[in-house]
Amino acid sequence: MRVSRLYVAEPLNVGGRIELDDDAAHYVRSVLRLKQDQSIVLFNGHGGEYLGRFSEVSRKTVRVEIEQFIERNVESPLAINLGLGISRGDRMDWAVQKAVELGVTRLTPLVTERCVIKFNDDKKQQRLQHWQHIVQHAAEQSGRTYCPSIGEIENLADWVSGQQGLCVFLDPYAEQSLADLKPVNSRVTLLSGPEGGFSEQERQIAKTAGFVPVRMGARILRTETAVLSALTAVQTLWGDFR
């Protein structure tokens, strides 16, 4: 029988007991419909997972007793840092979700010239929290025991200047492909644009910062398709698809 997995943002220790927050408790009661004495797998994104048992499932409280630590690691040998141009609505959400499933290590949302979404400080924090929840749920679903980190929303020009190693950006007009390159110390940094792609000025900024333009085949891909294709390609070439 399959045991459900649940992310919790707190320390976990064998022999300990935790009380789930309101959102997690609602999910256990109303979505998973789990009962007292049933099992659950918990993880907090810092490695490994914990087998627990519900000691109480009531309308007011859901408590879990932690019984066993399970050493488990499904991370790719390739560390992937992704700079992702912010797209509208579901496209961005889908790209973040699939990036987690495909093993990205770190993800930074980027404001670009053709980004159609404008952020004030409050909106930035709301969107970051929203994407963080997507990361957590994708880690639950995909069996990861580490949660990728999400950087603060940055401007593209600021972000590219701080990257090192093999750095590439997705450009349908490029002459090279990923197969022409090699990662540095099992690390690669990918830069992918929003709807409409990068402006010519942004291409030059990325090149000046050491990013290599690469194409993903002969066709122009939508932004969310490009991210999925690039992550699949690097995992196939250098990561855990080998």
Side-chain angles (χ1 to χ4, degrees):
M1 182 177 178
R2 181 177 180 271
V3 179
S4 299
R5 299 181 82 241
L6 186 66
Y7 171 83
V8 292
E10 58 184 281
L12 298 171
N13 297 288
V14 174
R17 177 185 296 180
I18 66 167
E19 182 174 329
L20 301 185
D21 63 27
D22 291 343
D23 289 342
H26 172 76
Y27 181 66
V28 166
R29 284 192 304 261
S30 303
V31 180
L32 298 178
R33 297 185 179 277
L34 296 174
K35 307 296 183 183
Q36 185 172 328
D37 291 327
Q38 287 188 293
S39 297
I40 185 80
V41 171
L42 303 177
F43 74 105
N44 58 11
H46 297 296
E49 55 191 18
Y50 294 79
L51 181 63
R53 180 180 57 82
F54 291 106
S55 58
E56 181 178 354
V57 179
S58 67
R59 187 171 296 180
K60 291 184 177 181
T61 306
V62 176
R63 290 193 176 93
V64 182
E65 292 184 355
I66 302 170
E67 298 179 331
Q68 181 184 352
F69 174 72
I70 303 169
E71 183 67 56
R72 186 166 174 270
N73 183 9
V74 297
E75 296 303 300
S76 171
L78 184 68
I80 307 171
N81 181 21
L82 174 64
L84 184 59
I86 297 171
S87 301
R88 289 176 292 184
D90 291 346
R91 291 182 181 182
M92 186 68 178
D93 293 354
W94 193 89
V96 171
Q97 181 189 68
K98 301 310 172 189
V100 176
E101 292 178 27
L102 285 166
V104 74
T105 308
R106 179 174 175 80
L107 187 154
T108 304
L110 301 177
V111 176
T112 65
E113 287 186 27
R114 294 173 180 167
C115 176
V116 297
I117 302 174
K118 305 300 179 184
F119 295 99
N120 56 33
D121 289 341
D122 289 342
K123 187 67 176 292
K124 281 184 177 181
Q125 291 308 309
Q126 290 174 3
R127 297 313 296 172
L128 283 171
Q129 289 176 4
H130 172 73
W131 292 325
Q132 184 63 57
H133 287 149
I134 291 175
V135 167
Q136 292 165 3
H137 291 314
E140 286 176 354
Q141 180 274 323
S142 62
R144 294 186 67 171
T145 56
Y146 288 90
C147 282
S149 60
I150 294 188
E152 295 291 327
I153 296 172
E154 292 190 52
N155 291 320
L156 179 144
D158 296 330
W159 182 81
V160 295
S161 64
Q163 308 307 315
Q164 298 178 342
L166 175 60
C167 300
V168 300
F169 72 93
L170 309 184
D171 184 352
Y173 307 107
E175 296 181 358
Q176 285 186 298
S177 72
L178 283 166
D180 300 323
L181 306 173
K182 292 289 185 182
V184 178
N185 296 324
S186 297
R187 294 178 178 273
V188 62
T189 296
L190 296 174
L191 170 60
S192 182
E195 304 103 319
F198 298 117
S199 68
E200 185 56 38
Q201 182 180 14
E202 287 172 333
R203 287 189 178 92
Q204 292 303 318
I205 289 172
K207 288 179 183 179
T208 300
F211 279 73
V212 180
V214 297
R215 68 180 185 274
M216 298 302 301
R219 294 163 296 282
I220 297 176
L221 306 179
R222 291 169 67 102
T223 178
E224 65 271 31
T225 311
V227 173
L228 177 64
S229 300
L231 290 170
T232 302
V234 299
Q235 292 287 29
T236 301
L237 288 168
W238 313 308
D240 57 9
F241 288 9
R242 292 183 298 175

